[in-house]
Amino acid sequence: MRVAGLLLAAGAGRRFGTPKALVSLHGKLFVDSAAELLRAAGCDPVVVVLGAQAADVREQAVLAGVAVVDNPDWATGMGSSLRTGLHAVGMADAVVVLPVDTPGVTVEALHRLMALAEPKALARATYDGEIGHPVLIGSDHFPGVVASAAGDQGARDYLKANTVRLVDCADVADGVDVDRPQDLTRHTGA
């Protein structure tokens, strides 16, 4: 099975104060760490969707071995980035979708979802009963996800309307989003 990785890194990070793609943790930008994570898990291709301050991200990030695409409609929300990314993925049996602001996700969590990859698959990680990321979307679902992805909902409505396998990842990862600078303390030990 060919499983692509899709990194959503286009948002402005209003609550954070800067695009989260440009946030540094342990000396590395979120966008670089997340792209490397998808590559380390064996995703092929890895597509990174940029939007807010895309030129700055390109200038500061390494983004080695990944395809980078711009979402001209990034300000409309995550839905447009998901659509842009799915179009850029091309031929794949499934895609693992990861937002740039989940630095606690691990290769082990990605592998749990990737093990379920097939065109009919829909799965998402859970953490202590709470749904989170990453999300696995089989290629049979790409058209439906593209049609329903709007605003900041991403694939939420499509996933609610379909049967999704929940995959517990709490023992191998932390799926909490980093929305504000103080949320980084969870990952720095400060």
Side-chain angles (χ1 to χ4, degrees):
M1 289 284 148
R2 186 167 184 211
V3 183
L6 176 53
L7 178 58
L8 303 179
R14 285 176 197 88
R15 289 179 286 178
F16 199 94
T18 188
K20 292 183 224 169
L22 293 169
V23 172
S24 182
L25 181 64
H26 305 302
K28 192 175 284 190
L29 295 180
F30 270 16
V31 69
D32 285 326
S33 295
E36 287 173 14
L37 180 73
L38 290 166
R39 288 186 62 217
C43 295
D44 181 36
V46 173
V47 174
V48 179
V49 181
L50 299 180
Q53 297 183 32
D56 293 337
V57 176
R58 277 190 168 84
E59 182 179 306
Q60 295 178 41
V62 178
L63 297 173
V66 302
V68 180
V69 295
D70 287 331
N71 173 12
D73 300 318
W74 65 267
T76 65
M78 190 187 337
S80 64
S81 291
L82 183 57
R83 291 192 308 272
T84 298
L86 285 174
H87 285 301
V89 162
M91 298 299 294
D93 297 298
V95 63
V96 175
V97 181
L98 184 67
V100 75
D101 63 353
T102 53
V105 172
T106 61
V107 167
E108 292 83 1
L110 290 168
H111 281 168
R112 286 192 182 170
L113 276 90
M114 292 169 71
L116 306 173
E118 63 168 336
K120 295 183 184 320
L122 277 178
R124 72 182 313 167
T126 63
Y127 301 90
D128 298 320
E130 297 292 320
I131 56 172
H133 287 92
V135 174
L136 177 77
I137 302 170
S139 58
D140 288 358
H141 298 283
F142 290 2
V145 170
V146 167
S148 70
D152 269 331
Q153 298 304 305
R156 187 175 302 154
D157 290 344
Y158 187 85
L159 294 170
K160 281 183 183 175
N162 290 275
T163 303
V164 178
R165 184 163 176 186
L166 301 179
V167 180
D168 183 25
C169 294
D171 62 321
V172 295
D174 173 354
V176 175
D177 296 354
V178 172
D179 289 328
R180 294 173 179 83
Q182 57 267 33
D183 297 341
L184 282 174
T185 58
R186 181 181 186 110
H187 300 281
T188 61

